[in-house]
Amino acid sequence: MKAPTIDNVAPNLLLAHAPLNSALFNAGLVFLTFIASLPGLTFTTQRTWLKVHSWMVLGCIIVTLVIGLEIWFSTLQTRANLAVMWDAEGPQMQQLLQARWQCCGYMKTPFHTDSTCPNPLAASAKPDCVGPFSNFANGFLDLVFTAMFGMVALDAILLLSGLVVIKKREEEERYRHIDEKCKYTRF
């Protein structure tokens, strides 16, 4: 990870506290689901691989929805969560955040003396960082969980499409068996 700067300190801090292991697991599951779809596309008379693929898509839906809900629930307590993050970070990160939004301290105290907040008198004239930091965090995390919920919608469309193909192949197989019994041949 690059050294923190004024431009990347807030996104890096939020991403460091995001459920990245869950997101990596979800990415692996999506990739395996794609791999499982390939035999279903190539073997046009079989339904087994399509059924496996559909169950895996359902798993992707559930995992993605859980991750999105976890992020969404965390945004309901943004200020409290950010206070814990602020307190856990060292003076360098706090000074970068103060410089980014021209504010002093998370809720006025404690603030770190730097060029943005050189003394208590200057700090009292500037707003605290809770407002700009929580506004940024809400906007950033809103994009993340909205993207997650969008992926759930796309997965649901993929699941329904797969079920339609499974049903169509089942119907074709049924007619093929009827034709075999009646000694008809395919055109």
Side-chain angles (χ1 to χ4, degrees):
M1 188 155 77
K2 295 183 345 185
T5 64
I6 290 176
D7 294 328
N8 70 9
V9 65
N12 287 353
L13 187 59
L14 293 172
L15 287 174
H17 291 85
L20 295 180
N21 289 337
S22 302
L24 287 174
F25 172 76
N26 191 30
L29 184 61
V30 168
F31 181 72
L32 289 176
T33 302
F34 167 71
I35 296 299
S37 73
L38 296 177
L41 294 172
T42 56
F43 302 130
T44 57
T45 57
Q46 286 190 335
R47 296 186 319 260
T48 307
W49 280 105
L50 283 175
K51 289 178 183 177
V52 168
H53 176 257
S54 294
W55 280 109
M56 291 179 78
V57 168
L58 185 62
C60 288
I61 289 172
I62 292 169
V63 170
T64 306
L65 185 63
V66 166
I67 295 170
L69 286 172
E70 178 184 349
I71 294 170
W72 178 68
F73 282 129
S74 75
T75 63
L76 298 176
Q77 298 289 326
T78 301
R79 289 181 178 228
N81 294 339
L82 291 178
V84 172
M85 276 189 232
W86 183 278
D87 292 338
E89 292 304 319
Q92 179 193 12
M93 294 291 271
Q94 291 178 2
Q95 288 171 354
L96 285 171
L97 290 167
Q98 287 177 166
R100 179 179 175 125
W101 289 298
Q102 296 298 306
C103 57
C104 294
Y106 187 71
M107 290 187 165
K108 286 294 183 202
T109 55
F111 70 92
H112 288 281
T113 305
D114 61 2
S115 60
T116 308
C117 307
N119 57 46
L121 182 62
S124 66
K126 293 189 179 193
D128 52 13
C129 295
V130 66
F133 194 20
S134 64
N135 287 342
F136 176 82
N138 279 331
F140 187 83
L141 294 174
D142 284 353
L143 285 173
V144 173
F145 75 74
T146 302
M148 299 298 278
F149 293 151
M151 289 304 297
V152 168
L154 291 175
D155 283 345
I157 292 169
L158 180 63
L159 177 64
L160 291 174
S161 301
L163 294 176
V164 166
V165 172
I166 289 170
K167 192 66 177 169
K168 176 70 175 161
R169 287 186 181 176
E170 181 181 348
E171 185 179 301
E172 287 175 352
E173 186 176 342
R174 179 176 164 250
Y175 285 125
R176 190 170 40 252
H177 287 305
I178 291 171
D179 288 345
E180 286 173 357
K181 285 181 183 179
C182 297
K183 306 285 189 227
Y184 293 124
T185 58
R186 289 185 90 171
F187 292 104

PDB file of all heavy atoms in Angstrom, residues 58-80:
ATOM      1  N   LEU A  58     -27.119 -18.929  -6.787  1.00  0.00           N
ATOM      2  CA  LEU A  58     -27.888 -18.658  -5.569  1.00  0.00           C
ATOM      3  C   LEU A  58     -26.942 -18.423  -4.384  1.00  0.00           C
ATOM      4  O   LEU A  58     -27.168 -17.514  -3.570  1.00  0.00           O
ATOM      5  CB  LEU A  58     -28.842 -19.819  -5.272  1.00  0.00           C
ATOM      6  CG  LEU A  58     -29.787 -19.613  -4.101  1.00  0.00           C
ATOM      7  CD1 LEU A  58     -30.710 -18.435  -4.345  1.00  0.00           C
ATOM      8  CD2 LEU A  58     -30.590 -20.873  -3.848  1.00  0.00           C
ATOM      9  N   GLY A  59     -25.870 -19.191  -4.307  1.00  0.00           N
ATOM     10  CA  GLY A  59     -24.864 -18.963  -3.267  1.00  0.00           C
ATOM     11  C   GLY A  59     -24.217 -17.590  -3.407  1.00  0.00           C
ATOM     12  O   GLY A  59     -23.995 -16.889  -2.416  1.00  0.00           O
ATOM     13  N   CYS A  60     -23.918 -17.192  -4.654  1.00  0.00           N
ATOM     14  CA  CYS A  60     -23.346 -15.861  -4.899  1.00  0.00           C
ATOM     15  C   CYS A  60     -24.311 -14.767  -4.454  1.00  0.00           C
ATOM     16  O   CYS A  60     -23.889 -13.761  -3.871  1.00  0.00           O
ATOM     17  CB  CYS A  60     -23.021 -15.677  -6.377  1.00  0.00           C
ATOM     18  SG  CYS A  60     -21.615 -16.604  -6.960  1.00  0.00           S
ATOM     19  N   ILE A  61     -25.593 -14.972  -4.734  1.00  0.00           N
ATOM     20  CA  ILE A  61     -26.599 -13.987  -4.328  1.00  0.00           C
ATOM     21  C   ILE A  61     -26.588 -13.822  -2.813  1.00  0.00           C
ATOM     22  O   ILE A  61     -26.575 -12.699  -2.296  1.00  0.00           O
ATOM     23  CB  ILE A  61     -28.003 -14.400  -4.827  1.00  0.00           C
ATOM     24  CG1 ILE A  61     -28.101 -14.237  -6.343  1.00  0.00           C
ATOM     25  CG2 ILE A  61     -29.096 -13.602  -4.130  1.00  0.00           C
ATOM     26  CD1 ILE A  61     -29.375 -14.794  -6.946  1.00  0.00           C
ATOM     27  N   ILE A  62     -26.588 -14.927  -2.116  1.00  0.00           N
ATOM     28  CA  ILE A  62     -26.646 -14.871  -0.645  1.00  0.00           C
ATOM     29  C   ILE A  62     -25.393 -14.208  -0.070  1.00  0.00           C
ATOM     30  O   ILE A  62     -25.487 -13.321   0.783  1.00  0.00           O
ATOM     31  CB  ILE A  62     -26.859 -16.285  -0.070  1.00  0.00           C
ATOM     32  CG1 ILE A  62     -28.263 -16.779  -0.434  1.00  0.00           C
ATOM     33  CG2 ILE A  62     -26.655 -16.298   1.434  1.00  0.00           C
ATOM     34  CD1 ILE A  62     -28.496 -18.242  -0.166  1.00  0.00           C
ATOM     35  N   VAL A  63     -24.221 -14.612  -0.546  1.00  0.00           N
ATOM     36  CA  VAL A  63     -22.969 -14.047  -0.016  1.00  0.00           C
ATOM     37  C   VAL A  63     -22.877 -12.552  -0.326  1.00  0.00           C
ATOM     38  O   VAL A  63     -22.541 -11.742   0.548  1.00  0.00           O
ATOM     39  CB  VAL A  63     -21.750 -14.816  -0.575  1.00  0.00           C
ATOM     40  CG1 VAL A  63     -20.449 -14.112  -0.237  1.00  0.00           C
ATOM     41  CG2 VAL A  63     -21.737 -16.237  -0.051  1.00  0.00           C
ATOM     42  N   THR A  64     -23.191 -12.166  -1.557  1.00  0.00           N
ATOM     43  CA  THR A  64     -23.126 -10.755  -1.938  1.00  0.00           C
ATOM     44  C   THR A  64     -24.131  -9.931  -1.144  1.00  0.00           C
ATOM     45  O   THR A  64     -23.819  -8.819  -0.698  1.00  0.00           O
ATOM     46  CB  THR A  64     -23.382 -10.599  -3.447  1.00  0.00           C
ATOM     47  OG1 THR A  64     -22.485 -11.435  -4.168  1.00  0.00           O
ATOM     48  CG2 THR A  64     -23.180  -9.168  -3.894  1.00  0.00           C
ATOM     49  N   LEU A  65     -25.317 -10.470  -0.946  1.00  0.00           N
ATOM     50  CA  LEU A  65     -26.333  -9.756  -0.172  1.00  0.00           C
ATOM     51  C   LEU A  65     -25.897  -9.577   1.270  1.00  0.00           C
ATOM     52  O   LEU A  65     -26.065  -8.494   1.856  1.00  0.00           O
ATOM     53  CB  LEU A  65     -27.669 -10.512  -0.235  1.00  0.00           C
ATOM     54  CG  LEU A  65     -28.858  -9.839   0.425  1.00  0.00           C
ATOM     55  CD1 LEU A  65     -29.186  -8.527  -0.268  1.00  0.00           C
ATOM     56  CD2 LEU A  65     -30.063 -10.764   0.386  1.00  0.00           C
ATOM     57  N   VAL A  66     -25.303 -10.603   1.854  1.00  0.00           N
ATOM     58  CA  VAL A  66     -24.836 -10.502   3.245  1.00  0.00           C
ATOM     59  C   VAL A  66     -23.738  -9.441   3.371  1.00  0.00           C
ATOM     60  O   VAL A  66     -23.750  -8.626   4.299  1.00  0.00           O
ATOM     61  CB  VAL A  66     -24.360 -11.881   3.756  1.00  0.00           C
ATOM     62  CG1 VAL A  66     -23.570 -11.753   5.042  1.00  0.00           C
ATOM     63  CG2 VAL A  66     -25.543 -12.804   3.949  1.00  0.00           C
ATOM     64  N   ILE A  67     -22.797  -9.416   2.427  1.00  0.00           N
ATOM     65  CA  ILE A  67     -21.732  -8.410   2.471  1.00  0.00           C
ATOM     66  C   ILE A  67     -22.319  -7.009   2.306  1.00  0.00           C
ATOM     67  O   ILE A  67     -21.952  -6.076   3.036  1.00  0.00           O
ATOM     68  CB  ILE A  67     -20.664  -8.695   1.398  1.00  0.00           C
ATOM     69  CG1 ILE A  67     -19.949 -10.000   1.687  1.00  0.00           C
ATOM     70  CG2 ILE A  67     -19.653  -7.549   1.317  1.00  0.00           C
ATOM     71  CD1 ILE A  67     -19.054 -10.480   0.560  1.00  0.00           C
ATOM     72  N   GLY A  68     -23.222  -6.843   1.354  1.00  0.00           N
ATOM     73  CA  GLY A  68     -23.856  -5.543   1.151  1.00  0.00           C
ATOM     74  C   GLY A  68     -24.633  -5.088   2.372  1.00  0.00           C
ATOM     75  O   GLY A  68     -24.577  -3.911   2.761  1.00  0.00           O
ATOM     76  N   LEU A  69     -25.351  -6.018   3.001  1.00  0.00           N
ATOM     77  CA  LEU A  69     -26.100  -5.661   4.213  1.00  0.00           C
ATOM     78  C   LEU A  69     -25.170  -5.309   5.367  1.00  0.00           C
ATOM     79  O   LEU A  69     -25.467  -4.393   6.151  1.00  0.00           O
ATOM     80  CB  LEU A  69     -27.034  -6.800   4.617  1.00  0.00           C
ATOM     81  CG  LEU A  69     -28.276  -6.974   3.751  1.00  0.00           C
ATOM     82  CD1 LEU A  69     -29.023  -8.246   4.131  1.00  0.00           C
ATOM     83  CD2 LEU A  69     -29.186  -5.760   3.865  1.00  0.00           C
ATOM     84  N   GLU A  70     -24.054  -6.026   5.468  1.00  0.00           N
ATOM     85  CA  GLU A  70     -23.081  -5.713   6.528  1.00  0.00           C
ATOM     86  C   GLU A  70     -22.546  -4.291   6.364  1.00  0.00           C
ATOM     87  O   GLU A  70     -22.460  -3.533   7.336  1.00  0.00           O
ATOM     88  CB  GLU A  70     -21.933  -6.718   6.487  1.00  0.00           C
ATOM     89  CG  GLU A  70     -20.860  -6.457   7.513  1.00  0.00           C
ATOM     90  CD  GLU A  70     -19.685  -7.415   7.385  1.00  0.00           C
ATOM     91  OE1 GLU A  70     -19.774  -8.409   6.651  1.00  0.00           O
ATOM     92  OE2 GLU A  70     -18.664  -7.135   8.031  1.00  0.00           O
ATOM     93  N   ILE A  71     -22.213  -3.914   5.139  1.00  0.00           N
ATOM     94  CA  ILE A  71     -21.721  -2.555   4.887  1.00  0.00           C
ATOM     95  C   ILE A  71     -22.830  -1.538   5.127  1.00  0.00           C
ATOM     96  O   ILE A  71     -22.607  -0.481   5.724  1.00  0.00           O
ATOM     97  CB  ILE A  71     -21.140  -2.449   3.464  1.00  0.00           C
ATOM     98  CG1 ILE A  71     -19.893  -3.322   3.349  1.00  0.00           C
ATOM     99  CG2 ILE A  71     -20.810  -0.999   3.117  1.00  0.00           C
ATOM    100  CD1 ILE A  71     -19.374  -3.486   1.952  1.00  0.00           C
ATOM    101  N   TRP A  72     -24.048  -1.853   4.683  1.00  0.00           N
ATOM    102  CA  TRP A  72     -25.162  -0.938   4.885  1.00  0.00           C
ATOM    103  C   TRP A  72     -25.445  -0.728   6.363  1.00  0.00           C
ATOM    104  O   TRP A  72     -25.643   0.407   6.805  1.00  0.00           O
ATOM    105  CB  TRP A  72     -26.406  -1.452   4.169  1.00  0.00           C
ATOM    106  CG  TRP A  72     -27.595  -0.575   4.386  1.00  0.00           C
ATOM    107  CD1 TRP A  72     -27.780   0.694   3.918  1.00  0.00           C
ATOM    108  CD2 TRP A  72     -28.760  -0.895   5.140  1.00  0.00           C
ATOM    109  NE1 TRP A  72     -28.985   1.174   4.333  1.00  0.00           N
ATOM    110  CE2 TRP A  72     -29.624   0.217   5.088  1.00  0.00           C
ATOM    111  CE3 TRP A  72     -29.167  -2.019   5.848  1.00  0.00           C
ATOM    112  CZ2 TRP A  72     -30.850   0.241   5.713  1.00  0.00           C
ATOM    113  CZ3 TRP A  72     -30.397  -1.993   6.461  1.00  0.00           C
ATOM    114  CH2 TRP A  72     -31.223  -0.870   6.389  1.00  0.00           C
ATOM    115  N   PHE A  73     -25.451  -1.804   7.138  1.00  0.00           N
ATOM    116  CA  PHE A  73     -25.684  -1.666   8.578  1.00  0.00           C
ATOM    117  C   PHE A  73     -24.582  -0.835   9.233  1.00  0.00           C
ATOM    118  O   PHE A  73     -24.838  -0.098  10.177  1.00  0.00           O
ATOM    119  CB  PHE A  73     -25.809  -3.020   9.270  1.00  0.00           C
ATOM    120  CG  PHE A  73     -27.144  -3.670   9.086  1.00  0.00           C
ATOM    121  CD1 PHE A  73     -27.231  -4.987   8.653  1.00  0.00           C
ATOM    122  CD2 PHE A  73     -28.324  -2.994   9.340  1.00  0.00           C
ATOM    123  CE1 PHE A  73     -28.463  -5.592   8.475  1.00  0.00           C
ATOM    124  CE2 PHE A  73     -29.553  -3.584   9.170  1.00  0.00           C
ATOM    125  CZ  PHE A  73     -29.627  -4.890   8.737  1.00  0.00           C
ATOM    126  N   SER A  74     -23.356  -0.965   8.747  1.00  0.00           N
ATOM    127  CA  SER A  74     -22.263  -0.168   9.327  1.00  0.00           C
ATOM    128  C   SER A  74     -22.459   1.317   9.038  1.00  0.00           C
ATOM    129  O   SER A  74     -22.023   2.156   9.830  1.00  0.00           O
ATOM    130  CB  SER A  74     -20.910  -0.646   8.828  1.00  0.00           C
ATOM    131  OG  SER A  74     -20.681  -0.231   7.501  1.00  0.00           O
ATOM    132  N   THR A  75     -23.117   1.652   7.927  1.00  0.00           N
ATOM    133  CA  THR A  75     -23.354   3.071   7.637  1.00  0.00           C
ATOM    134  C   THR A  75     -24.416   3.664   8.557  1.00  0.00           C
ATOM    135  O   THR A  75     -24.508   4.885   8.661  1.00  0.00           O
ATOM    136  CB  THR A  75     -23.786   3.300   6.171  1.00  0.00           C
ATOM    137  OG1 THR A  75     -25.024   2.641   5.926  1.00  0.00           O
ATOM    138  CG2 THR A  75     -22.723   2.847   5.207  1.00  0.00           C
ATOM    139  N   LEU A  76     -25.195   2.831   9.214  1.00  0.00           N
ATOM    140  CA  LEU A  76     -26.187   3.348  10.149  1.00  0.00           C
ATOM    141  C   LEU A  76     -25.527   3.877  11.427  1.00  0.00           C
ATOM    142  O   LEU A  76     -26.134   4.648  12.158  1.00  0.00           O
ATOM    143  CB  LEU A  76     -27.216   2.265  10.488  1.00  0.00           C
ATOM    144  CG  LEU A  76     -28.040   1.755   9.310  1.00  0.00           C
ATOM    145  CD1 LEU A  76     -28.956   0.626   9.761  1.00  0.00           C
ATOM    146  CD2 LEU A  76     -28.828   2.862   8.663  1.00  0.00           C
ATOM    147  N   GLN A  77     -24.319   3.442  11.678  1.00  0.00           N
ATOM    148  CA  GLN A  77     -23.554   3.877  12.854  1.00  0.00           C
ATOM    149  C   GLN A  77     -22.242   4.531  12.428  1.00  0.00           C
ATOM    150  O   GLN A  77     -21.210   4.345  13.069  1.00  0.00           O
ATOM    151  CB  GLN A  77     -23.255   2.661  13.749  1.00  0.00           C
ATOM    152  CG  GLN A  77     -24.473   1.980  14.307  1.00  0.00           C
ATOM    153  CD  GLN A  77     -25.128   2.845  15.375  1.00  0.00           C
ATOM    154  OE1 GLN A  77     -24.465   3.544  16.113  1.00  0.00           O
ATOM    155  NE2 GLN A  77     -26.444   2.804  15.428  1.00  0.00           N
ATOM    156  N   THR A  78     -22.282   5.302  11.351  1.00  0.00           N
ATOM    157  CA  THR A  78     -21.055   5.842  10.770  1.00  0.00           C
ATOM    158  C   THR A  78     -20.243   6.655  11.767  1.00  0.00           C
ATOM    159  O   THR A  78     -19.049   6.442  11.930  1.00  0.00           O
ATOM    160  CB  THR A  78     -21.383   6.715   9.542  1.00  0.00           C
ATOM    161  OG1 THR A  78     -22.062   5.918   8.589  1.00  0.00           O
ATOM    162  CG2 THR A  78     -20.126   7.276   8.908  1.00  0.00           C
ATOM    163  N   ARG A  79     -20.878   7.585  12.439  1.00  0.00           N
ATOM    164  CA  ARG A  79     -20.122   8.465  13.341  1.00  0.00           C
ATOM    165  C   ARG A  79     -19.468   7.686  14.475  1.00  0.00           C
ATOM    166  O   ARG A  79     -18.317   7.951  14.830  1.00  0.00           O
ATOM    167  CB  ARG A  79     -21.016   9.570  13.874  1.00  0.00           C
ATOM    168  CG  ARG A  79     -21.352  10.575  12.798  1.00  0.00           C
ATOM    169  CD  ARG A  79     -22.214  11.696  13.307  1.00  0.00           C
ATOM    170  NE  ARG A  79     -22.450  12.637  12.215  1.00  0.00           N
ATOM    171  CZ  ARG A  79     -22.307  13.938  12.324  1.00  0.00           C
ATOM    172  NH1 ARG A  79     -21.969  14.468  13.474  1.00  0.00           N
ATOM    173  NH2 ARG A  79     -22.522  14.717  11.298  1.00  0.00           N
ATOM    174  N   ALA A  80     -20.176   6.737  15.036  1.00  0.00           N
ATOM    175  CA  ALA A  80     -19.594   5.932  16.120  1.00  0.00           C
ATOM    176  C   ALA A  80     -18.449   5.067  15.602  1.00  0.00           C
ATOM    177  O   ALA A  80     -17.401   4.952  16.253  1.00  0.00           O
ATOM    178  CB  ALA A  80     -20.671   5.065  16.767  1.00  0.00           C
TER     179      ALA A  80
END
